[in-house]
Amino acid sequence: MTTMTMIEAIRSTIRQEILRDEKVMVLGQDIGKLGGVFRATEGLQAEFGEDRIVDMPLAEASIVGSAVGLSLSGLNPIAEIQFLGFAQQAYHQIVPQLARFRFRSQGRYSTGVTIRAPFGGGVRAPELHSDAIESQFTSVPGLQVVLPSTPADAKGLLTTAIRSEDPVLFCEPLKGYRLVKGDVPDDDYSIPFGELRIAREGTDVTLFAWSAAVQLAEKAAESLASEGISAQVVDLRTLVPLDVDGIREVVSATGRAVVIHEAPLTSGYGAEVVSTIQEEAFYSLEAPVARVAAPDVPYPNIGIEEVFIPNVDRVVSAVREVVSAE
Amino acid sequence: MTTMTMIEAIRSTIRQEILRDEKVMVLGQDIGKLGGVFRATEGLQAEFGEDRIVDMPLAEASIVGSAVGLSLSGLNPIAEIQFLGFAQQAYHQIVPQLARFRFRSQGRYSTGVTIRAPFGGGVRAPELHSDAIESQFTSVPGLQVVLPSTPADAKGLLTTAIRSEDPVLFCEPLKGYRLVKGDVPDDDYSIPFGELRIAREGTDVTLFAWSAAVQLAEKAAESLASEGISAQVVDLRTLVPLDVDGIREVVSATGRAVVIHEAPLTSGYGAEVVSTIQEEAFYSLEAPVARVAAPDVPYPNIGIEEVFIPNVDRVVSAVREVVSAE
Amino acid sequence: MLRREILRPDGSISGDSGPVLSIQETLDALERMLLSKRIDERAFSLQRQGRMGTYSAVRGQEASVVGSSLALDPSVDWIVPQYRELPALLRHGLSIEGFLSYWKGNSEAARIPDGVKVLPPQIGLAAQLPHAVGLAWGLQLQGDPGAVMTFIGDGGSSEGDFHESLNLAGVMKAPVVFLLQNNGWAISTPRSKQSAADTFASRGEGYGVPSILVDGNDLFAVSAAAREAVGRAKSGEGPTLIESQTYRLGAHNTADDPSKYVDSGEKLQWEELDPIPRVISYLRARDAITDAEIDDIEARNEAEVARAVDVLDTIGPASAETLFDHVSSTMSIRLRRQRDQILKGASR
Amino acid sequence: MLRREILRPDGSISGDSGPVLSIQETLDALERMLLSKRIDERAFSLQRQGRMGTYSAVRGQEASVVGSSLALDPSVDWIVPQYRELPALLRHGLSIEGFLSYWKGNSEAARIPDGVKVLPPQIGLAAQLPHAVGLAWGLQLQGDPGAVMTFIGDGGSSEGDFHESLNLAGVMKAPVVFLLQNNGWAISTPRSKQSAADTFASRGEGYGVPSILVDGNDLFAVSAAAREAVGRAKSGEGPTLIESQTYRLGAHNTADDPSKYVDSGEKLQWEELDPIPRVISYLRARDAITDAEIDDIEARNEAEVARAVDVLDTIGPASAETLFDHVSSTMSIRLRRQRDQILKGASR
Ligand SMILES: Cc1ncc(C[n+]2csc(CCOP(=O)(O)OP(=O)(O)O)c2C)c(N)n1
Ligand SMILES: Cc1ncc(C[n+]2csc(CCOP(=O)(O)OP(=O)(O)O)c2C)c(N)n1
Ligand SMILES: [Mg+2]
Ligand SMILES: [Mg+2]
């Protein structure tokens, strides 16, 4: 075990996979000499050369689209999109192309591309850099959508993503890059997709979250503990595939749930989680499942981002309501 | 009142709006001499000229992006995307641009573009032509998402869309273009966004649907009636804005609900409807809300599209289960 | 930009060009062109009878498609198609019934056979181009001797993907050939409304990509251009853009009604430039083909098409299972349950 | 393609070109260039002090930005910016504090004043280009005399939106000028990795769009090129692509560390070509400016920047209400409830 920040865990995992498999390569904007705007690939071009760590022209659709082709040629590309918001420029290459190559070819081809992209607010970034748009991608059959919240999970899930034959959108929490630290296994370490993680035990209510909202949920749980409410925190980790059975199990135990995410409420992935909960555990529910999300507005300029992002107060009051409902 | 098909209602509404307001223009692929691949603009270029009905180069992002600019110049563009699946090529112009111009400029500019696009299965169309991808757009603050299922609603909602200062994604049911007929008011007729329509009265259970799934729900309700189940059919019509209060009202009356859509289950807009129902009417619910949707796979080739698309049988058995649950 | 022309409409050879193909190769190419034409006719009638879905014919573009494919070695080179390149795909190893199965609606039967270096048809216009670039670049990185040829239309060339792909190919010196078939139309949109550029070939310079403008109805000129381009790709000199100027002599597809928009005078002019008769005239002038031999070719093609259609007729829809089997390498729990439920319902 | 050059690095005028601007216009332009430089410096230090968000400096590109904007009439013409065009926007009617408010984080204070024909900064690279084309085309359709100038970088020019926009502008003959500032870098990505093309200007031909290549550090050459292009737009002859070859002398923005990737030798060379000293040399050689007058300009600019920063310091974050007010023309019931709840919480 080594204590690492999120970004260190990601960098070392990429390096480990490059060392493991000569087919692995990385492409993206500014990932070479600069090492990426967040240094996820720092030092890697010097170590592995310009053919393995490739600075691409500024065109997201061709980063993803050429990664599809590289993958068809037998290589295993990791594509970095500088900020998730700019994955929208590549949307037509991700959704109707990358995600369905296996299906379209009825299994003749697979495109195991891993797309990495940071997102999430609270870091005073310019427009479009912070937007939590994961639910733009969760309705896409064939695409796995993975959002780690801790360095260890980042390693375990990124390893699985890179080794998977399937395309993965791997969304990294910008705010956690340097802030979130934790112990990371030194050896080969992979975590299967579709298994939620219980981040904190609790018996009165289950808080569902992913990415940076996990730390928010943990803070809220801490605060709730002081008023005698025992909140379980569940990190979904992979939104697609979703751990349907795990969700049923945890909700059945507490009977109450709150889903927390940074994206706006309407049609955020929280809606899928709520629907799944009520499909799987309706008769265990003692109160409606609450959603704590950003309001239905675009991510604002930095001066008021704190008004936009869900905070501990909002989580705590939602939980209080859910817990007191009968 | 005149009896019209869906496509006739759309064409006559466009014509009426062009006649009403000299700022209205239409742009798209093959909409001139050909009149659009479904004839939504048939005869209009001959009548109004090449400056009003504009055949565009084959590039969806620039159709939407230039419509943004045309709108900023004071015109009122209707942009036709030949099939909704190709709106993904324009995704980065729709979502982070068109939808948030008013917000970005803090009200200095508005971009009242109407994007029209057909979608929906069962018409033996090639890949990407049928995909029900509305939930890719429902999480986008600033964008109104409208899906009429009848000719009269098509007229009333399209009129509102064109006259609105806000951007609207107006999705038309391919299968209904010629199959669905109905009476359409001859005069100026507009329907406010955010008001659901009760398509069929019923007391035991509420079926929520939109676009072509409304007709499916109606057929299922018909069949359920013969076994003594009285199913109400609700056409949501506008997914964004959502008629939250209307949903509460209808579900409170029946206490049971099924949401039906043609898109795959996971993260379809049905999830938002289910979440809203359980937030708004949890204590009226006598059974979990069921979702009837396509499976989580890409839209298949035409030989097996009937396996993919939800059918009456699947709706009926879901309703039976919901109605018999206690 | 000078347009390269070798085989004149009357079947004579222009200026100082020697013939590009041997007589035997020319005969072989003719057979492929005639086969393509025959399949087009048959597919249209199958569609009219409800035995086929939407189909897009090659008619008029046979020299462009067959000629360019002749430069490829199916054992190492790849084709990344759009949807209007049937005879190139057949030469590369697809079967007629395999290709037609796709348009009939059975993707399982249309699965590209292992070893055939072809990607599935692409409906999202221009979306195939970055795949072609990545594939070519990847082959090069791995020391694979193959080159990639990808096809795109005059219409599709307006998409952003065209730009990003040519630019990337230039930067990476990827061994890829972009074969832009300018057939005058994108459904009903004429070339003149697609771009104000004089030629599409002129776009190459802006990417540092050499380009060639060629008479697309000229089998020899297309073949020569494609050979040059494939040669450049294989010698590490990078991509080439070829604009092949041809004409769609039929409808866009079986759902289209060109009488609404095609000027019959223009069409007539292009019928004069039909790529097939000029190959026949060329061979005739050299006494390399007789009417009887043409009849033989037609008969062989006819028999081959009949055989393929017989097979096709036995191909029903894919099994319901194929809806679920190839979404991902492993099936999620949720999908497995959806599958079980639907298959139970379907088999009732 | 020939690169247009008028004002040499030493301040002399090349060959047969007459000066493009009068002495008074040149002095005015110099003042704008120096003001831009002063604001850059100040904004960087504000950012370092936590009084400003991310900021992208114009430093090095003052001739390119100021020179091109001189061709515009703010009362009828529009600017569709990317984010690195401050002095052009000031000339068009924005205030310094208005512009800086955006980067400080208050979009309400940064709202473009009514009547100022400028769009907000664009973060999604190249996404502004189709807006510029549509705007120009719309002005033309309505008989409005205005033209549109839009800015794009060497990096942004690789996006698909660049292609689609130039192609559409060509087809519609839209009165728009694409001012491509090739400043050598897209963050850390050098021009050489952005495209294998010799010049970006060479892309125009592939769209039927006339193009001009110009020394972007040459105030006169840029002004002349922009005037020609705006003139063409206004006389109904359609769009122009201008590649202005300049250099980003500073960091990409306040978050960037160019020491990681910039070759210091290259940077030194470009410092020799700084656009500001050569304007001063030109004016000095004509006895049109003295050191004292330069000091006066600097003092005026300093005072203006100080004034603006004083105002800026009084600008806090926008009110919480502005989060909700401008999403749509009417507020949905759901959003109103979200708003009420959040504002209640916020004011606790
Ligand atoms: C991205 C995208 N937009 C629109 C369409 C609908 N469409 C199918 S074919 C076609 C015209 C294509 O023209 P061109 O590229 O010239 O190819 P051709 O059919 O002439 O071979 C259009 C608009 C599509 N398939 N993909
Ligand atoms: C679509 C998109 N992709 C990526 C980014 C991140 N980004 C911001 S500036 C920049 C470099 C831009 O370079 P260039 O276009 O040359 O403009 P310059 O900064 O040199 O003026 C990048 C990659 C972005 N803002 N938008
Ligand atoms: Mg064409
Ligand atoms: Mg640059």
Side-chain angles (χ1 to χ4, degrees), chain C residues 213-237:
Chain C
L213 181 65
V214 67
D215 176 358
N217 285 5
D218 172 341
L219 178 70
F220 293 161
V222 174
S223 299
R227 258 191 215 162
E228 179 181 324
V230 171
R232 176 152 45 228
K234 292 192 176 182
S235 61
E237 292 166 72

PDB file of all heavy atoms in Angstrom, chain C residues 213-237:
ATOM      1  N   LEU C 213      -7.177  14.631 -58.470  1.00  0.00           N
ATOM      2  CA  LEU C 213      -8.511  14.786 -59.040  1.00  0.00           C
ATOM      3  C   LEU C 213      -8.596  13.866 -60.247  1.00  0.00           C
ATOM      4  O   LEU C 213      -7.701  13.866 -61.098  1.00  0.00           O
ATOM      5  CB  LEU C 213      -8.706  16.242 -59.474  1.00  0.00           C
ATOM      6  CG  LEU C 213     -10.059  16.603 -60.079  1.00  0.00           C
ATOM      7  CD1 LEU C 213     -11.172  16.438 -59.043  1.00  0.00           C
ATOM      8  CD2 LEU C 213     -10.026  18.036 -60.608  1.00  0.00           C
ATOM      9  N   VAL C 214      -9.658  13.089 -60.313  1.00  0.00           N
ATOM     10  CA  VAL C 214      -9.674  12.082 -61.363  1.00  0.00           C
ATOM     11  C   VAL C 214     -11.092  11.916 -61.924  1.00  0.00           C
ATOM     12  O   VAL C 214     -12.083  12.130 -61.219  1.00  0.00           O
ATOM     13  CB  VAL C 214      -9.126  10.739 -60.796  1.00  0.00           C
ATOM     14  CG1 VAL C 214     -10.062  10.155 -59.755  1.00  0.00           C
ATOM     15  CG2 VAL C 214      -8.839   9.745 -61.888  1.00  0.00           C
ATOM     16  N   ASP C 215     -11.153  11.599 -63.205  1.00  0.00           N
ATOM     17  CA  ASP C 215     -12.432  11.252 -63.823  1.00  0.00           C
ATOM     18  C   ASP C 215     -12.883   9.927 -63.210  1.00  0.00           C
ATOM     19  O   ASP C 215     -12.296   8.877 -63.475  1.00  0.00           O
ATOM     20  CB  ASP C 215     -12.263  11.117 -65.342  1.00  0.00           C
ATOM     21  CG  ASP C 215     -13.565  10.656 -66.013  1.00  0.00           C
ATOM     22  OD1 ASP C 215     -14.562  10.401 -65.301  1.00  0.00           O
ATOM     23  OD2 ASP C 215     -13.567  10.537 -67.259  1.00  0.00           O
ATOM     24  N   GLY C 216     -13.919   9.993 -62.425  1.00  0.00           N
ATOM     25  CA  GLY C 216     -14.349   8.814 -61.680  1.00  0.00           C
ATOM     26  C   GLY C 216     -15.059   7.790 -62.545  1.00  0.00           C
ATOM     27  O   GLY C 216     -15.333   6.679 -62.084  1.00  0.00           O
ATOM     28  N   ASN C 217     -15.372   8.143 -63.780  1.00  0.00           N
ATOM     29  CA  ASN C 217     -16.007   7.169 -64.672  1.00  0.00           C
ATOM     30  C   ASN C 217     -14.990   6.520 -65.597  1.00  0.00           C
ATOM     31  O   ASN C 217     -15.350   5.872 -66.580  1.00  0.00           O
ATOM     32  CB  ASN C 217     -17.124   7.846 -65.477  1.00  0.00           C
ATOM     33  CG  ASN C 217     -18.355   8.087 -64.619  1.00  0.00           C
ATOM     34  OD1 ASN C 217     -18.326   7.839 -63.408  1.00  0.00           O
ATOM     35  ND2 ASN C 217     -19.426   8.564 -65.226  1.00  0.00           N
ATOM     36  N   ASP C 218     -13.746   6.727 -65.258  1.00  0.00           N
ATOM     37  CA  ASP C 218     -12.629   6.258 -66.083  1.00  0.00           C
ATOM     38  C   ASP C 218     -11.892   5.200 -65.263  1.00  0.00           C
ATOM     39  O   ASP C 218     -11.135   5.505 -64.339  1.00  0.00           O
ATOM     40  CB  ASP C 218     -11.753   7.469 -66.403  1.00  0.00           C
ATOM     41  CG  ASP C 218     -10.451   7.110 -67.092  1.00  0.00           C
ATOM     42  OD1 ASP C 218     -10.018   5.937 -67.036  1.00  0.00           O
ATOM     43  OD2 ASP C 218      -9.851   8.037 -67.669  1.00  0.00           O
ATOM     44  N   LEU C 219     -12.146   3.955 -65.601  1.00  0.00           N
ATOM     45  CA  LEU C 219     -11.577   2.839 -64.847  1.00  0.00           C
ATOM     46  C   LEU C 219     -10.060   2.955 -64.707  1.00  0.00           C
ATOM     47  O   LEU C 219      -9.500   2.732 -63.634  1.00  0.00           O
ATOM     48  CB  LEU C 219     -11.934   1.517 -65.542  1.00  0.00           C
ATOM     49  CG  LEU C 219     -11.366   0.244 -64.911  1.00  0.00           C
ATOM     50  CD1 LEU C 219     -12.049  -0.043 -63.575  1.00  0.00           C
ATOM     51  CD2 LEU C 219     -11.514  -0.950 -65.852  1.00  0.00           C
ATOM     52  N   PHE C 220      -9.416   3.316 -65.801  1.00  0.00           N
ATOM     53  CA  PHE C 220      -7.946   3.348 -65.781  1.00  0.00           C
ATOM     54  C   PHE C 220      -7.419   4.501 -64.925  1.00  0.00           C
ATOM     55  O   PHE C 220      -6.474   4.333 -64.152  1.00  0.00           O
ATOM     56  CB  PHE C 220      -7.402   3.471 -67.209  1.00  0.00           C
ATOM     57  CG  PHE C 220      -7.678   2.249 -68.043  1.00  0.00           C
ATOM     58  CD1 PHE C 220      -7.614   2.323 -69.441  1.00  0.00           C
ATOM     59  CD2 PHE C 220      -8.004   1.034 -67.465  1.00  0.00           C
ATOM     60  CE1 PHE C 220      -7.859   1.200 -70.229  1.00  0.00           C
ATOM     61  CE2 PHE C 220      -8.256  -0.095 -68.242  1.00  0.00           C
ATOM     62  CZ  PHE C 220      -8.184  -0.010 -69.628  1.00  0.00           C
ATOM     63  N   ALA C 221      -8.033   5.656 -65.090  1.00  0.00           N
ATOM     64  CA  ALA C 221      -7.541   6.818 -64.335  1.00  0.00           C
ATOM     65  C   ALA C 221      -7.754   6.595 -62.830  1.00  0.00           C
ATOM     66  O   ALA C 221      -6.872   6.911 -62.020  1.00  0.00           O
ATOM     67  CB  ALA C 221      -8.252   8.088 -64.790  1.00  0.00           C
ATOM     68  N   VAL C 222      -8.895   6.028 -62.479  1.00  0.00           N
ATOM     69  CA  VAL C 222      -9.145   5.774 -61.055  1.00  0.00           C
ATOM     70  C   VAL C 222      -8.146   4.744 -60.526  1.00  0.00           C
ATOM     71  O   VAL C 222      -7.543   4.920 -59.466  1.00  0.00           O
ATOM     72  CB  VAL C 222     -10.592   5.291 -60.810  1.00  0.00           C
ATOM     73  CG1 VAL C 222     -10.776   4.883 -59.355  1.00  0.00           C
ATOM     74  CG2 VAL C 222     -11.600   6.363 -61.188  1.00  0.00           C
ATOM     75  N   SER C 223      -7.954   3.671 -61.313  1.00  0.00           N
ATOM     76  CA  SER C 223      -7.014   2.638 -60.865  1.00  0.00           C
ATOM     77  C   SER C 223      -5.614   3.206 -60.667  1.00  0.00           C
ATOM     78  O   SER C 223      -4.956   2.925 -59.656  1.00  0.00           O
ATOM     79  CB  SER C 223      -6.906   1.515 -61.909  1.00  0.00           C
ATOM     80  OG  SER C 223      -8.140   0.910 -62.102  1.00  0.00           O
ATOM     81  N   ALA C 224      -5.193   4.007 -61.613  1.00  0.00           N
ATOM     82  CA  ALA C 224      -3.839   4.563 -61.530  1.00  0.00           C
ATOM     83  C   ALA C 224      -3.705   5.470 -60.315  1.00  0.00           C
ATOM     84  O   ALA C 224      -2.717   5.410 -59.572  1.00  0.00           O
ATOM     85  CB  ALA C 224      -3.505   5.330 -62.807  1.00  0.00           C
ATOM     86  N   ALA C 225      -4.712   6.286 -60.117  1.00  0.00           N
ATOM     87  CA  ALA C 225      -4.666   7.207 -58.974  1.00  0.00           C
ATOM     88  C   ALA C 225      -4.636   6.417 -57.667  1.00  0.00           C
ATOM     89  O   ALA C 225      -3.855   6.721 -56.757  1.00  0.00           O
ATOM     90  CB  ALA C 225      -5.885   8.134 -59.004  1.00  0.00           C
ATOM     91  N   ALA C 226      -5.460   5.396 -57.589  1.00  0.00           N
ATOM     92  CA  ALA C 226      -5.521   4.605 -56.357  1.00  0.00           C
ATOM     93  C   ALA C 226      -4.200   3.876 -56.126  1.00  0.00           C
ATOM     94  O   ALA C 226      -3.697   3.808 -55.001  1.00  0.00           O
ATOM     95  CB  ALA C 226      -6.678   3.613 -56.422  1.00  0.00           C
ATOM     96  N   ARG C 227      -3.629   3.367 -57.198  1.00  0.00           N
ATOM     97  CA  ARG C 227      -2.331   2.681 -57.047  1.00  0.00           C
ATOM     98  C   ARG C 227      -1.260   3.621 -56.531  1.00  0.00           C
ATOM     99  O   ARG C 227      -0.474   3.266 -55.656  1.00  0.00           O
ATOM    100  CB  ARG C 227      -1.879   2.152 -58.408  1.00  0.00           C
ATOM    101  CG  ARG C 227      -2.121   0.688 -58.530  1.00  0.00           C
ATOM    102  CD  ARG C 227      -1.433   0.159 -59.762  1.00  0.00           C
ATOM    103  NE  ARG C 227      -2.269  -0.893 -60.304  1.00  0.00           N
ATOM    104  CZ  ARG C 227      -2.190  -1.354 -61.530  1.00  0.00           C
ATOM    105  NH1 ARG C 227      -1.297  -0.834 -62.381  1.00  0.00           N
ATOM    106  NH2 ARG C 227      -2.966  -2.327 -61.922  1.00  0.00           N
ATOM    107  N   GLU C 228      -1.255   4.810 -57.112  1.00  0.00           N
ATOM    108  CA  GLU C 228      -0.274   5.803 -56.668  1.00  0.00           C
ATOM    109  C   GLU C 228      -0.473   6.092 -55.176  1.00  0.00           C
ATOM    110  O   GLU C 228       0.481   6.131 -54.399  1.00  0.00           O
ATOM    111  CB  GLU C 228      -0.460   7.074 -57.500  1.00  0.00           C
ATOM    112  CG  GLU C 228       0.489   8.185 -57.121  1.00  0.00           C
ATOM    113  CD  GLU C 228       0.227   9.440 -57.967  1.00  0.00           C
ATOM    114  OE1 GLU C 228      -0.120   9.307 -59.170  1.00  0.00           O
ATOM    115  OE2 GLU C 228       0.356  10.550 -57.408  1.00  0.00           O
ATOM    116  N   ALA C 229      -1.718   6.258 -54.802  1.00  0.00           N
ATOM    117  CA  ALA C 229      -2.020   6.614 -53.411  1.00  0.00           C
ATOM    118  C   ALA C 229      -1.686   5.468 -52.457  1.00  0.00           C
ATOM    119  O   ALA C 229      -1.094   5.676 -51.396  1.00  0.00           O
ATOM    120  CB  ALA C 229      -3.496   6.994 -53.283  1.00  0.00           C
ATOM    121  N   VAL C 230      -2.063   4.270 -52.841  1.00  0.00           N
ATOM    122  CA  VAL C 230      -1.767   3.120 -51.984  1.00  0.00           C
ATOM    123  C   VAL C 230      -0.251   2.927 -51.896  1.00  0.00           C
ATOM    124  O   VAL C 230       0.293   2.628 -50.829  1.00  0.00           O
ATOM    125  CB  VAL C 230      -2.479   1.848 -52.492  1.00  0.00           C
ATOM    126  CG1 VAL C 230      -2.009   0.608 -51.748  1.00  0.00           C
ATOM    127  CG2 VAL C 230      -4.001   1.999 -52.362  1.00  0.00           C
ATOM    128  N   GLY C 231       0.407   3.140 -53.010  1.00  0.00           N
ATOM    129  CA  GLY C 231       1.868   3.054 -53.009  1.00  0.00           C
ATOM    130  C   GLY C 231       2.480   4.057 -52.050  1.00  0.00           C
ATOM    131  O   GLY C 231       3.361   3.726 -51.249  1.00  0.00           O
ATOM    132  N   ARG C 232       1.972   5.268 -52.107  1.00  0.00           N
ATOM    133  CA  ARG C 232       2.478   6.300 -51.192  1.00  0.00           C
ATOM    134  C   ARG C 232       2.240   5.875 -49.744  1.00  0.00           C
ATOM    135  O   ARG C 232       3.126   5.980 -48.900  1.00  0.00           O
ATOM    136  CB  ARG C 232       1.775   7.626 -51.486  1.00  0.00           C
ATOM    137  CG  ARG C 232       2.165   8.717 -50.522  1.00  0.00           C
ATOM    138  CD  ARG C 232       2.062  10.123 -51.110  1.00  0.00           C
ATOM    139  NE  ARG C 232       0.847  10.365 -51.845  1.00  0.00           N
ATOM    140  CZ  ARG C 232       0.799  10.911 -53.052  1.00  0.00           C
ATOM    141  NH1 ARG C 232       1.899  11.274 -53.665  1.00  0.00           N
ATOM    142  NH2 ARG C 232      -0.352  11.100 -53.649  1.00  0.00           N
ATOM    143  N   ALA C 233       1.059   5.379 -49.477  1.00  0.00           N
ATOM    144  CA  ALA C 233       0.750   4.957 -48.110  1.00  0.00           C
ATOM    145  C   ALA C 233       1.731   3.883 -47.649  1.00  0.00           C
ATOM    146  O   ALA C 233       2.302   3.962 -46.559  1.00  0.00           O
ATOM    147  CB  ALA C 233      -0.683   4.423 -48.042  1.00  0.00           C
ATOM    148  N   LYS C 234       1.968   2.910 -48.522  1.00  0.00           N
ATOM    149  CA  LYS C 234       2.792   1.774 -48.104  1.00  0.00           C
ATOM    150  C   LYS C 234       4.271   2.100 -48.004  1.00  0.00           C
ATOM    151  O   LYS C 234       5.030   1.381 -47.359  1.00  0.00           O
ATOM    152  CB  LYS C 234       2.569   0.594 -49.054  1.00  0.00           C
ATOM    153  CG  LYS C 234       1.152   0.035 -48.915  1.00  0.00           C
ATOM    154  CD  LYS C 234       0.988  -1.288 -49.616  1.00  0.00           C
ATOM    155  CE  LYS C 234      -0.403  -1.836 -49.364  1.00  0.00           C
ATOM    156  NZ  LYS C 234      -0.620  -3.143 -49.975  1.00  0.00           N
ATOM    157  N   SER C 235       4.670   3.178 -48.672  1.00  0.00           N
ATOM    158  CA  SER C 235       6.089   3.533 -48.555  1.00  0.00           C
ATOM    159  C   SER C 235       6.303   4.563 -47.449  1.00  0.00           C
ATOM    160  O   SER C 235       7.356   5.202 -47.389  1.00  0.00           O
ATOM    161  CB  SER C 235       6.602   4.050 -49.898  1.00  0.00           C
ATOM    162  OG  SER C 235       5.874   5.203 -50.260  1.00  0.00           O
ATOM    163  N   GLY C 236       5.309   4.719 -46.588  1.00  0.00           N
ATOM    164  CA  GLY C 236       5.516   5.584 -45.421  1.00  0.00           C
ATOM    165  C   GLY C 236       5.359   7.063 -45.699  1.00  0.00           C
ATOM    166  O   GLY C 236       5.703   7.906 -44.865  1.00  0.00           O
ATOM    167  N   GLU C 237       4.836   7.388 -46.893  1.00  0.00           N
ATOM    168  CA  GLU C 237       4.717   8.814 -47.212  1.00  0.00           C
ATOM    169  C   GLU C 237       3.377   9.412 -46.808  1.00  0.00           C
ATOM    170  O   GLU C 237       3.114  10.582 -47.071  1.00  0.00           O
ATOM    171  CB  GLU C 237       4.968   9.029 -48.703  1.00  0.00           C
ATOM    172  CG  GLU C 237       6.403   8.762 -49.115  1.00  0.00           C
ATOM    173  CD  GLU C 237       6.508   8.660 -50.634  1.00  0.00           C
ATOM    174  OE1 GLU C 237       6.398   9.701 -51.292  1.00  0.00           O
ATOM    175  OE2 GLU C 237       6.672   7.527 -51.145  1.00  0.00           O
TER     176      GLU C 237
END
